[in-house]
Amino acid sequence: MSAHTLLAESGCHINHDCAFPAPGLNSFDFKPIFSIGSFDFTKPMLLAIICVVLVVGFFWAAFNKPKLVPGKLQLVGEIGYNFVARSIAREVIGKKGDKYVPFLTSIFFFVWIMNVMSIIPFAQFPANSKFAFPVALAALVFITYMYLTFKTHGFRGGVKNLVWIEGLPKFLVPLIVLLEFIQNVITRPFTLAVRLWANMFAGHLLIVLFSVASWYLLTPSFLSAVAGGSFVLAAGMTAFELLIQFLQAYIFTLLASIYISGALEEGH
């Protein structure tokens, strides 16, 4: 049970001789909805499935029977698709990026909806704050990056694309090859996953912290003013988190397009 739910149910306030239940990792742990053997199906998994259904269902409904004069749903779908196509794919990859727009659009909207779950009533949890989900998404992007690199350049050319820089002094070659390998093969997928996870984790933790504090300090005393300030901060953080949720989806998709562009281009 999360800290804020436990606090609300217990009726705990600062003048009731109960310690402040500071939110931590317990705010990211959930009891299984059901279990099959050693496999536990939890709330974040359910939210991920709901997000998949929402994204697939929306675009299927929008483009299943496209019309020359689009209806409202198709118009919204076209705006979202064109946003990714024009602002990300074509800006970064160029004309070659058109064939990857469906892939990038799927990533953008899936990551965004997963993040937005943080402020949806009854959900109130960003699924991407569980590290496994950003890791899976980063792995998908990395596999695509590697596949396109070796498909475009062959094995030898692909390795060269990943680690080789022309015109280096010979004594620097081993060091640069090692650094390029670490950057392109290890650091890229790791930072792609950590960036998304850390932002969603920190944002959710701050919202929970100010929410818990506003309830804990709500007493018939001057501390009510402090509780009010904490509540305002919680509301402000929620509004700010809306921007962060969009930006993280945009940055994740932008970096995916940069990796695809690098895979399609010649080496240094």
Side-chain angles (χ1 to χ4, degrees), residues 51-64 72-81 105 109 113:
C51 291
V52 170
V53 172
L54 288 175
V55 173
V56 173
F58 170 76
F59 281 103
W60 181 86
F63 297 114
N64 182 42
K72 293 181 180 179
L73 196 62
Q74 182 182 335
L75 180 61
V76 173
E78 288 180 358
I79 291 172
Y81 187 88
T105 301
F109 281 98
I113 298 301

Side-chain angles (χ1 to χ4, degrees), residues 5-267:
T5 303
L6 180 63
L7 187 65
E9 291 185 355
S10 66
C12 181
H13 297 284
I14 192 171
N15 61 346
H16 289 174
D17 295 326
C18 56
F20 176 67
L25 294 179
N26 58 329
S27 300
F28 299 85
D29 292 331
F30 297 90
K31 291 181 179 180
I33 298 173
F34 65 85
S35 299
I36 301 176
S38 60
F39 173 76
D40 294 331
F41 186 83
T42 59
K43 179 180 178 178
M45 296 179 187
L46 176 61
L47 294 178
I49 293 174
I50 292 173
C51 291
V52 170
V53 172
L54 288 175
V55 173
V56 173
F58 170 76
F59 281 103
W60 181 86
F63 297 114
N64 182 42
K65 295 179 180 179
K67 298 178 181 178
L68 185 61
V69 179
K72 293 181 180 179
L73 196 62
Q74 182 182 335
L75 180 61
V76 173
E78 288 180 358
I79 291 172
Y81 187 88
N82 287 331
F83 168 76
V84 176
R86 295 174 181 175
S87 301
I88 299 178
R90 289 171 191 164
E91 283 288 329
V92 176
I93 307 174
K95 292 184 178 179
K96 292 181 181 179
D98 288 351
K99 63 188 297 186
Y100 303 104
V101 173
F103 173 69
L104 295 172
T105 301
S106 300
I107 287 179
F108 174 80
F109 281 98
F110 181 64
V111 172
W112 186 27
I113 298 301
M114 290 266 280
N115 294 345
V116 168
M117 283 293 163
S118 172
I119 61 168
I120 301 299
F122 303 108
Q124 295 179 306
F125 184 80
N128 282 321
S129 63
K130 298 291 284 187
F131 193 48
F133 292 111
V135 167
L137 290 166
L140 177 63
V141 171
F142 181 70
I143 290 170
T144 303
Y145 169 53
M146 287 290 136
Y147 171 76
L148 291 175
T149 296
F150 289 103
K151 179 184 178 182
T152 304
H153 306 287
F155 179 77
R156 184 174 180 179
V159 172
K160 183 178 179 181
N161 182 277
L162 290 171
V163 302
W164 190 260
I165 298 178
E166 297 287 353
L168 288 174
K170 291 184 178 180
F171 71 91
L172 284 178
V173 169
L175 175 62
I176 298 302
V177 166
L178 176 61
L179 292 176
E180 287 290 301
F181 176 83
I182 293 172
Q183 174 186 329
N184 292 325
V185 180
I186 299 174
T187 304
R188 277 189 168 183
F190 177 76
T191 55
L192 190 63
V194 169
R195 183 183 294 105
L196 175 59
W197 165 76
N199 277 277
M200 293 302 100
F201 181 93
H204 182 66
L205 194 62
L206 285 172
I207 291 173
V208 172
L209 175 64
F210 288 122
S211 299
V212 169
S214 61
W215 177 262
Y216 183 71
L217 296 171
L218 186 60
T219 58
S221 68
F222 74 95
L223 290 175
S224 292
V226 182
S230 182
F231 178 79
V232 170
L233 285 172
M237 282 299 305
T238 301
F240 181 68
E241 195 65 11
L242 278 170
L243 174 63
I244 298 300
Q245 289 159 0
F246 175 83
L247 285 178
Q248 286 306 309
Y250 179 83
I251 291 170
F252 193 96
T253 310
L254 179 67
L255 290 173
S257 67
I258 290 173
Y259 299 161
I260 290 173
S261 177
L264 298 176
E265 295 174 357
E266 294 296 329

